[in-house]
PDB file of all heavy atoms in Angstrom:
ATOM      1  N   THR A  24     -21.407 -38.524  77.322  1.00 79.00           N
ATOM      2  CA  THR A  24     -21.290 -37.910  75.982  1.00 79.00           C
ATOM      3  C   THR A  24     -22.583 -38.029  75.183  1.00 79.00           C
ATOM      4  O   THR A  24     -22.721 -37.404  74.149  1.00 79.00           O
ATOM      5  CB  THR A  24     -20.169 -38.603  75.176  1.00 79.00           C
ATOM      6  OG1 THR A  24     -20.452 -39.990  75.109  1.00 79.00           O
ATOM      7  CG2 THR A  24     -18.814 -38.402  75.851  1.00 79.00           C
ATOM      8  N   TYR A  76      21.602 -57.528  76.953  1.00 98.00           N
ATOM      9  CA  TYR A  76      21.204 -57.345  75.553  1.00 98.00           C
ATOM     10  C   TYR A  76      19.865 -58.042  75.277  1.00 98.00           C
ATOM     11  O   TYR A  76      19.052 -57.562  74.471  1.00 98.00           O
ATOM     12  CB  TYR A  76      22.306 -57.863  74.635  1.00 98.00           C
ATOM     13  CG  TYR A  76      23.583 -57.020  74.708  1.00 98.00           C
ATOM     14  CD1 TYR A  76      24.803 -57.614  75.030  1.00 98.00           C
ATOM     15  CD2 TYR A  76      23.533 -55.679  74.502  1.00 98.00           C
ATOM     16  CE1 TYR A  76      25.950 -56.833  75.122  1.00 98.00           C
ATOM     17  CE2 TYR A  76      24.678 -54.890  74.621  1.00 98.00           C
ATOM     18  CZ  TYR A  76      25.890 -55.486  74.928  1.00 98.00           C
ATOM     19  OH  TYR A  76      27.002 -54.698  75.024  1.00 98.00           O
ATOM     20  N   ASP A 141      19.391 -62.357  70.681  1.00 97.00           N
ATOM     21  CA  ASP A 141      19.870 -61.143  71.376  1.00 97.00           C
ATOM     22  C   ASP A 141      20.331 -60.148  70.338  1.00 97.00           C
ATOM     23  O   ASP A 141      21.521 -59.880  70.154  1.00 97.00           O
ATOM     24  CB  ASP A 141      21.034 -61.539  72.316  1.00 97.00           C
ATOM     25  CG  ASP A 141      20.609 -62.582  73.339  1.00 97.00           C
ATOM     26  OD1 ASP A 141      19.431 -62.556  73.740  1.00 97.00           O
ATOM     27  OD2 ASP A 141      21.449 -63.409  73.724  1.00 97.00           O
ATOM     28  N   SER A 190     -19.008 -34.672  57.471  1.00 91.00           N
ATOM     29  CA  SER A 190     -17.631 -35.093  57.641  1.00 91.00           C
ATOM     30  C   SER A 190     -17.432 -35.887  58.918  1.00 91.00           C
ATOM     31  O   SER A 190     -18.264 -35.849  59.815  1.00 91.00           O
ATOM     32  CB  SER A 190     -16.713 -33.862  57.665  1.00 91.00           C
ATOM     33  OG  SER A 190     -16.889 -33.103  56.508  1.00 91.00           O
ATOM     34  N   GLY A 299      25.925 -45.713  50.788  1.00 94.00           N
ATOM     35  CA  GLY A 299      24.912 -46.282  49.907  1.00 94.00           C
ATOM     36  C   GLY A 299      23.850 -45.284  49.468  1.00 94.00           C
ATOM     37  O   GLY A 299      23.055 -45.569  48.580  1.00 94.00           O
ATOM     38  N   ARG A 302      24.307 -37.759  48.980  1.00 89.00           N
ATOM     39  CA  ARG A 302      24.071 -36.646  49.882  1.00 89.00           C
ATOM     40  C   ARG A 302      22.807 -35.872  49.483  1.00 89.00           C
ATOM     41  O   ARG A 302      22.049 -35.416  50.330  1.00 89.00           O
ATOM     42  CB  ARG A 302      25.297 -35.736  49.902  1.00 89.00           C
ATOM     43  CG  ARG A 302      25.371 -34.842  51.097  1.00 89.00           C
ATOM     44  CD  ARG A 302      26.596 -33.969  51.038  1.00 89.00           C
ATOM     45  NE  ARG A 302      27.812 -34.658  51.398  1.00 89.00           N
ATOM     46  CZ  ARG A 302      28.932 -34.653  50.666  1.00 89.00           C
ATOM     47  NH1 ARG A 302      28.958 -34.025  49.505  1.00 89.00           N
ATOM     48  NH2 ARG A 302      29.993 -35.295  51.078  1.00 89.00           N
ATOM     49  N   LYS A 305      19.803 -37.633  50.714  1.00 88.00           N
ATOM     50  CA  LYS A 305      19.663 -37.468  52.167  1.00 88.00           C
ATOM     51  C   LYS A 305      19.068 -36.093  52.499  1.00 88.00           C
ATOM     52  O   LYS A 305      18.152 -35.961  53.314  1.00 88.00           O
ATOM     53  CB  LYS A 305      21.028 -37.590  52.844  1.00 88.00           C
ATOM     54  CG  LYS A 305      21.619 -38.999  52.811  1.00 88.00           C
ATOM     55  CD  LYS A 305      23.057 -39.000  53.366  1.00 88.00           C
ATOM     56  CE  LYS A 305      23.663 -40.384  53.350  1.00 88.00           C
ATOM     57  NZ  LYS A 305      25.085 -40.378  53.751  1.00 88.00           N
ATOM     58  N   TYR A 306      19.567 -35.077  51.820  1.00 85.00           N
ATOM     59  CA  TYR A 306      19.095 -33.725  52.140  1.00 85.00           C
ATOM     60  C   TYR A 306      17.688 -33.481  51.619  1.00 85.00           C
ATOM     61  O   TYR A 306      16.876 -32.860  52.293  1.00 85.00           O
ATOM     62  CB  TYR A 306      20.077 -32.673  51.583  1.00 85.00           C
ATOM     63  CG  TYR A 306      21.276 -32.489  52.495  1.00 85.00           C
ATOM     64  CD1 TYR A 306      22.334 -31.672  52.157  1.00 85.00           C
ATOM     65  CD2 TYR A 306      21.319 -33.156  53.727  1.00 85.00           C
ATOM     66  CE1 TYR A 306      23.425 -31.523  53.006  1.00 85.00           C
ATOM     67  CE2 TYR A 306      22.409 -33.003  54.576  1.00 85.00           C
ATOM     68  CZ  TYR A 306      23.457 -32.191  54.211  1.00 85.00           C
ATOM     69  OH  TYR A 306      24.507 -32.034  55.049  1.00 85.00           O
ATOM     70  N   MET A 321       3.518 -28.409  64.050  1.00 94.00           N
ATOM     71  CA  MET A 321       3.510 -26.998  64.487  1.00 94.00           C
ATOM     72  C   MET A 321       2.056 -26.502  64.548  1.00 94.00           C
ATOM     73  O   MET A 321       1.692 -25.720  65.407  1.00 94.00           O
ATOM     74  CB  MET A 321       4.301 -26.132  63.499  1.00 94.00           C
ATOM     75  CG  MET A 321       5.759 -26.506  63.351  1.00 94.00           C
ATOM     76  SD  MET A 321       6.836 -25.897  64.649  1.00 94.00           S
ATOM     77  CE  MET A 321       7.067 -24.191  64.177  1.00 94.00           C
ATOM     78  N   HIS A 389      24.611 -39.762  65.998  1.00 97.00           N
ATOM     79  CA  HIS A 389      24.244 -41.065  65.468  1.00 97.00           C
ATOM     80  C   HIS A 389      24.678 -42.189  66.405  1.00 97.00           C
ATOM     81  O   HIS A 389      25.863 -42.289  66.752  1.00 97.00           O
ATOM     82  CB  HIS A 389      24.873 -41.238  64.074  1.00 97.00           C
ATOM     83  CG  HIS A 389      24.454 -42.506  63.375  1.00 97.00           C
ATOM     84  ND1 HIS A 389      23.193 -42.678  62.886  1.00 97.00           N
ATOM     85  CD2 HIS A 389      25.117 -43.641  63.109  1.00 97.00           C
ATOM     86  CE1 HIS A 389      23.108 -43.894  62.336  1.00 97.00           C
ATOM     87  NE2 HIS A 389      24.281 -44.504  62.462  1.00 97.00           N
ATOM     88  N   GLN A 456      27.199 -34.472  74.190  1.00 96.00           N
ATOM     89  CA  GLN A 456      28.423 -33.818  74.629  1.00 96.00           C
ATOM     90  C   GLN A 456      29.606 -34.779  74.746  1.00 96.00           C
ATOM     91  O   GLN A 456      30.755 -34.387  74.480  1.00 96.00           O
ATOM     92  CB  GLN A 456      28.178 -33.116  75.969  1.00 96.00           C
ATOM     93  CG  GLN A 456      29.255 -32.099  76.297  1.00 96.00           C
ATOM     94  CD  GLN A 456      28.968 -31.346  77.585  1.00 96.00           C
ATOM     95  OE1 GLN A 456      27.874 -31.429  78.145  1.00 96.00           O
ATOM     96  NE2 GLN A 456      29.955 -30.609  78.067  1.00 96.00           N
ATOM     97  N   PHE A 473      41.747 -51.817  73.996  1.00 96.00           N
ATOM     98  CA  PHE A 473      42.219 -50.443  74.213  1.00 96.00           C
ATOM     99  C   PHE A 473      41.270 -49.800  75.215  1.00 96.00           C
ATOM    100  O   PHE A 473      40.061 -49.714  74.959  1.00 96.00           O
ATOM    101  CB  PHE A 473      42.227 -49.659  72.898  1.00 96.00           C
ATOM    102  CG  PHE A 473      43.147 -50.235  71.891  1.00 96.00           C
ATOM    103  CD1 PHE A 473      42.682 -51.152  70.939  1.00 96.00           C
ATOM    104  CD2 PHE A 473      44.491 -49.890  71.873  1.00 96.00           C
ATOM    105  CE1 PHE A 473      43.523 -51.708  69.990  1.00 96.00           C
ATOM    106  CE2 PHE A 473      45.352 -50.446  70.915  1.00 96.00           C
ATOM    107  CZ  PHE A 473      44.878 -51.364  69.991  1.00 96.00           C
ATOM    108  N   PRO A 474      41.808 -49.343  76.368  1.00 96.00           N
ATOM    109  CA  PRO A 474      40.916 -48.770  77.379  1.00 96.00           C
ATOM    110  C   PRO A 474      40.207 -47.533  76.858  1.00 96.00           C
ATOM    111  O   PRO A 474      40.715 -46.815  76.004  1.00 96.00           O
ATOM    112  CB  PRO A 474      41.856 -48.438  78.541  1.00 96.00           C
ATOM    113  CG  PRO A 474      43.217 -48.454  77.972  1.00 96.00           C
ATOM    114  CD  PRO A 474      43.216 -49.333  76.782  1.00 96.00           C
ATOM    115  N   VAL A 571      34.925 -32.712  58.005  1.00 96.00           N
ATOM    116  CA  VAL A 571      34.682 -34.029  57.403  1.00 96.00           C
ATOM    117  C   VAL A 571      33.563 -33.893  56.381  1.00 96.00           C
ATOM    118  O   VAL A 571      32.684 -33.027  56.506  1.00 96.00           O
ATOM    119  CB  VAL A 571      34.307 -35.060  58.499  1.00 96.00           C
ATOM    120  CG1 VAL A 571      32.941 -34.723  59.106  1.00 96.00           C
ATOM    121  CG2 VAL A 571      34.274 -36.472  57.955  1.00 96.00           C
TER     122      VAL A 571
ATOM    123  N   ARG B   4     -17.571 -34.943  67.878  1.00 78.00           N
ATOM    124  CA  ARG B   4     -18.844 -34.884  67.155  1.00 78.00           C
ATOM    125  C   ARG B   4     -18.630 -34.560  65.685  1.00 78.00           C
ATOM    126  O   ARG B   4     -17.616 -33.982  65.319  1.00 78.00           O
ATOM    127  CB  ARG B   4     -19.725 -33.792  67.744  1.00 78.00           C
ATOM    128  CG  ARG B   4     -19.764 -33.809  69.255  1.00 78.00           C
ATOM    129  CD  ARG B   4     -21.141 -34.192  69.704  1.00 78.00           C
ATOM    130  NE  ARG B   4     -21.178 -34.156  71.147  1.00 78.00           N
ATOM    131  CZ  ARG B   4     -21.656 -35.117  71.901  1.00 78.00           C
ATOM    132  NH1 ARG B   4     -22.137 -36.199  71.346  1.00 78.00           N
ATOM    133  NH2 ARG B   4     -21.647 -35.007  73.215  1.00 78.00           N
ATOM    134  N   TRP B  10     -17.460 -26.633  57.189  1.00 84.00           N
ATOM    135  CA  TRP B  10     -16.393 -26.272  58.133  1.00 84.00           C
ATOM    136  C   TRP B  10     -15.193 -25.692  57.424  1.00 84.00           C
ATOM    137  O   TRP B  10     -14.202 -25.336  58.018  1.00 84.00           O
ATOM    138  CB  TRP B  10     -15.988 -27.463  58.989  1.00 84.00           C
ATOM    139  CG  TRP B  10     -15.748 -28.731  58.218  1.00 84.00           C
ATOM    140  CD1 TRP B  10     -16.633 -29.740  58.010  1.00 84.00           C
ATOM    141  CD2 TRP B  10     -14.529 -29.122  57.530  1.00 84.00           C
ATOM    142  NE1 TRP B  10     -16.074 -30.712  57.237  1.00 84.00           N
ATOM    143  CE2 TRP B  10     -14.777 -30.364  56.925  1.00 84.00           C
ATOM    144  CE3 TRP B  10     -13.273 -28.526  57.375  1.00 84.00           C
ATOM    145  CZ2 TRP B  10     -13.830 -31.033  56.182  1.00 84.00           C
ATOM    146  CZ3 TRP B  10     -12.329 -29.199  56.641  1.00 84.00           C
ATOM    147  CH2 TRP B  10     -12.596 -30.440  56.045  1.00 84.00           C
ATOM    148  N   TRP B  21       0.330 -17.742  62.341  1.00 95.00           N
ATOM    149  CA  TRP B  21       1.133 -18.859  62.844  1.00 95.00           C
ATOM    150  C   TRP B  21       1.478 -19.837  61.720  1.00 95.00           C
ATOM    151  O   TRP B  21       2.609 -20.325  61.643  1.00 95.00           O
ATOM    152  CB  TRP B  21       0.376 -19.579  63.975  1.00 95.00           C
ATOM    153  CG  TRP B  21       1.113 -20.813  64.467  1.00 95.00           C
ATOM    154  CD1 TRP B  21       0.741 -22.095  64.310  1.00 95.00           C
ATOM    155  CD2 TRP B  21       2.350 -20.826  65.190  1.00 95.00           C
ATOM    156  NE1 TRP B  21       1.678 -22.931  64.886  1.00 95.00           N
ATOM    157  CE2 TRP B  21       2.674 -22.182  65.429  1.00 95.00           C
ATOM    158  CE3 TRP B  21       3.231 -19.834  65.646  1.00 95.00           C
ATOM    159  CZ2 TRP B  21       3.823 -22.571  66.114  1.00 95.00           C
ATOM    160  CZ3 TRP B  21       4.399 -20.234  66.329  1.00 95.00           C
ATOM    161  CH2 TRP B  21       4.674 -21.589  66.543  1.00 95.00           C
ATOM    162  N   TRP B  39      24.650 -24.897  54.787  1.00 86.00           N
ATOM    163  CA  TRP B  39      25.626 -25.706  55.565  1.00 86.00           C
ATOM    164  C   TRP B  39      26.522 -26.472  54.581  1.00 86.00           C
ATOM    165  O   TRP B  39      27.734 -26.564  54.747  1.00 86.00           O
ATOM    166  CB  TRP B  39      24.921 -26.734  56.457  1.00 86.00           C
ATOM    167  CG  TRP B  39      23.910 -26.233  57.436  1.00 86.00           C
ATOM    168  CD1 TRP B  39      22.826 -26.912  57.884  1.00 86.00           C
ATOM    169  CD2 TRP B  39      23.883 -24.972  58.116  1.00 86.00           C
ATOM    170  NE1 TRP B  39      22.118 -26.163  58.768  1.00 86.00           N
ATOM    171  CE2 TRP B  39      22.733 -24.957  58.926  1.00 86.00           C
ATOM    172  CE3 TRP B  39      24.690 -23.845  58.081  1.00 86.00           C
ATOM    173  CZ2 TRP B  39      22.398 -23.872  59.727  1.00 86.00           C
ATOM    174  CZ3 TRP B  39      24.353 -22.750  58.862  1.00 86.00           C
ATOM    175  CH2 TRP B  39      23.237 -22.771  59.665  1.00 86.00           C
ATOM    176  N   ASP B  46      30.124 -32.087  57.042  1.00 94.00           N
ATOM    177  CA  ASP B  46      28.975 -32.482  56.216  1.00 94.00           C
ATOM    178  C   ASP B  46      28.798 -33.998  56.246  1.00 94.00           C
ATOM    179  O   ASP B  46      29.757 -34.721  56.516  1.00 94.00           O
ATOM    180  CB  ASP B  46      29.218 -32.019  54.771  1.00 94.00           C
ATOM    181  CG  ASP B  46      27.899 -31.878  54.010  1.00 94.00           C
ATOM    182  OD1 ASP B  46      26.861 -32.257  54.564  1.00 94.00           O
ATOM    183  OD2 ASP B  46      27.936 -31.397  52.873  1.00 94.00           O
ATOM    184  N   ASN B  47      27.590 -34.452  55.994  1.00 94.00           N
ATOM    185  CA  ASN B  47      27.338 -35.893  55.969  1.00 94.00           C
ATOM    186  C   ASN B  47      28.147 -36.534  54.866  1.00 94.00           C
ATOM    187  O   ASN B  47      28.330 -35.952  53.808  1.00 94.00           O
ATOM    188  CB  ASN B  47      25.856 -36.173  55.721  1.00 94.00           C
ATOM    189  CG  ASN B  47      24.991 -35.756  56.882  1.00 94.00           C
ATOM    190  OD1 ASN B  47      25.347 -36.039  58.006  1.00 94.00           O
ATOM    191  ND2 ASN B  47      23.912 -35.080  56.588  1.00 94.00           N
ATOM    192  N   PRO B  48      28.592 -37.791  55.104  1.00 94.00           N
ATOM    193  CA  PRO B  48      29.308 -38.475  54.017  1.00 94.00           C
ATOM    194  C   PRO B  48      28.380 -38.655  52.819  1.00 94.00           C
ATOM    195  O   PRO B  48      27.187 -38.915  52.998  1.00 94.00           O
ATOM    196  CB  PRO B  48      29.714 -39.811  54.636  1.00 94.00           C
ATOM    197  CG  PRO B  48      28.844 -39.983  55.830  1.00 94.00           C
ATOM    198  CD  PRO B  48      28.499 -38.605  56.310  1.00 94.00           C
ATOM    199  N   SER B  51      30.205 -43.327  48.490  1.00 96.00           N
ATOM    200  CA  SER B  51      30.358 -44.718  48.967  1.00 96.00           C
ATOM    201  C   SER B  51      30.474 -45.644  47.781  1.00 96.00           C
ATOM    202  O   SER B  51      30.101 -45.296  46.652  1.00 96.00           O
ATOM    203  CB  SER B  51      29.176 -45.094  49.858  1.00 96.00           C
ATOM    204  OG  SER B  51      27.958 -44.912  49.178  1.00 96.00           O
ATOM    205  N   PHE B 133      32.780 -34.314  72.761  1.00 97.00           N
ATOM    206  CA  PHE B 133      32.173 -34.404  71.427  1.00 97.00           C
ATOM    207  C   PHE B 133      32.737 -35.576  70.620  1.00 97.00           C
ATOM    208  O   PHE B 133      33.943 -35.811  70.629  1.00 97.00           O
ATOM    209  CB  PHE B 133      32.319 -33.092  70.619  1.00 97.00           C
ATOM    210  CG  PHE B 133      31.682 -31.943  71.314  1.00 97.00           C
ATOM    211  CD1 PHE B 133      32.439 -30.969  71.962  1.00 97.00           C
ATOM    212  CD2 PHE B 133      30.314 -31.820  71.364  1.00 97.00           C
ATOM    213  CE1 PHE B 133      31.854 -29.911  72.633  1.00 97.00           C
ATOM    214  CE2 PHE B 133      29.709 -30.761  72.015  1.00 97.00           C
ATOM    215  CZ  PHE B 133      30.481 -29.807  72.657  1.00 97.00           C
ATOM    216  N   GLN B 138      28.068 -44.716  60.254  1.00 98.00           N
ATOM    217  CA  GLN B 138      27.588 -46.099  60.146  1.00 98.00           C
ATOM    218  C   GLN B 138      28.562 -46.902  59.263  1.00 98.00           C
ATOM    219  O   GLN B 138      28.964 -46.419  58.193  1.00 98.00           O
ATOM    220  CB  GLN B 138      26.192 -46.089  59.551  1.00 98.00           C
ATOM    221  CG  GLN B 138      25.515 -47.434  59.495  1.00 98.00           C
ATOM    222  CD  GLN B 138      25.002 -47.873  60.860  1.00 98.00           C
ATOM    223  OE1 GLN B 138      24.814 -47.045  61.750  1.00 98.00           O
ATOM    224  NE2 GLN B 138      24.805 -49.154  61.033  1.00 98.00           N
ATOM    225  N   TYR B 164      25.117 -51.918  67.886  1.00 97.00           N
ATOM    226  CA  TYR B 164      25.142 -53.255  68.506  1.00 97.00           C
ATOM    227  C   TYR B 164      25.583 -54.291  67.485  1.00 97.00           C
ATOM    228  O   TYR B 164      24.963 -54.424  66.407  1.00 97.00           O
ATOM    229  CB  TYR B 164      23.791 -53.605  69.081  1.00 97.00           C
ATOM    230  CG  TYR B 164      23.749 -55.004  69.641  1.00 97.00           C
ATOM    231  CD1 TYR B 164      24.354 -55.277  70.861  1.00 97.00           C
ATOM    232  CD2 TYR B 164      23.138 -56.035  68.949  1.00 97.00           C
ATOM    233  CE1 TYR B 164      24.347 -56.561  71.364  1.00 97.00           C
ATOM    234  CE2 TYR B 164      23.113 -57.317  69.466  1.00 97.00           C
ATOM    235  CZ  TYR B 164      23.721 -57.576  70.687  1.00 97.00           C
ATOM    236  OH  TYR B 164      23.717 -58.830  71.191  1.00 97.00           O
ATOM    237  N   HIS B 170      30.365 -54.294  73.712  1.00 97.00           N
ATOM    238  CA  HIS B 170      30.855 -53.282  74.652  1.00 97.00           C
ATOM    239  C   HIS B 170      32.369 -53.409  74.892  1.00 97.00           C
ATOM    240  O   HIS B 170      32.895 -52.697  75.734  1.00 97.00           O
ATOM    241  CB  HIS B 170      30.111 -53.436  75.975  1.00 97.00           C
ATOM    242  CG  HIS B 170      30.153 -54.840  76.520  1.00 97.00           C
ATOM    243  ND1 HIS B 170      29.360 -55.829  75.976  1.00 97.00           N
ATOM    244  CD2 HIS B 170      30.920 -55.411  77.454  1.00 97.00           C
ATOM    245  CE1 HIS B 170      29.616 -56.969  76.595  1.00 97.00           C
ATOM    246  NE2 HIS B 170      30.561 -56.748  77.487  1.00 97.00           N
ATOM    247  N   SER B 173      36.963 -51.763  70.854  1.00 97.00           N
ATOM    248  CA  SER B 173      37.572 -50.446  70.912  1.00 97.00           C
ATOM    249  C   SER B 173      38.812 -50.403  70.037  1.00 97.00           C
ATOM    250  O   SER B 173      39.332 -51.429  69.632  1.00 97.00           O
ATOM    251  CB  SER B 173      37.949 -50.101  72.356  1.00 97.00           C
ATOM    252  OG  SER B 173      38.947 -50.964  72.820  1.00 97.00           O
ATOM    253  N   ARG B 175      41.990 -47.311  68.320  1.00 97.00           N
ATOM    254  CA  ARG B 175      42.714 -46.062  68.505  1.00 97.00           C
ATOM    255  C   ARG B 175      42.900 -45.331  67.165  1.00 97.00           C
ATOM    256  O   ARG B 175      42.945 -45.963  66.105  1.00 97.00           O
ATOM    257  CB  ARG B 175      44.106 -46.317  69.069  1.00 97.00           C
ATOM    258  CG  ARG B 175      44.175 -46.551  70.560  1.00 97.00           C
ATOM    259  CD  ARG B 175      43.969 -45.281  71.324  1.00 97.00           C
ATOM    260  NE  ARG B 175      44.052 -45.545  72.784  1.00 97.00           N
ATOM    261  CZ  ARG B 175      43.036 -45.994  73.517  1.00 97.00           C
ATOM    262  NH1 ARG B 175      41.868 -46.244  72.956  1.00 97.00           N
ATOM    263  NH2 ARG B 175      43.202 -46.209  74.803  1.00 97.00           N
TER     264      ARG B 175
END
Side-chain angles (χ1 to χ4, degrees):
Chain A
T24 57
Y76 293 124
D141 302 327
S190 303
R302 199 181 282 129
K305 290 174 181 175
Y306 279 175
M321 300 280 281
H389 185 71
Q456 196 177 349
F473 298 93
V571 67
Chain B
R4 314 247 182 229
W10 48 264
W21 176 249
W39 305 149
D46 203 353
N47 291 315
S51 55
F133 300 105
Q138 186 76 20
Y164 176 75
H170 53 283
S173 66
R175 280 287 181 277

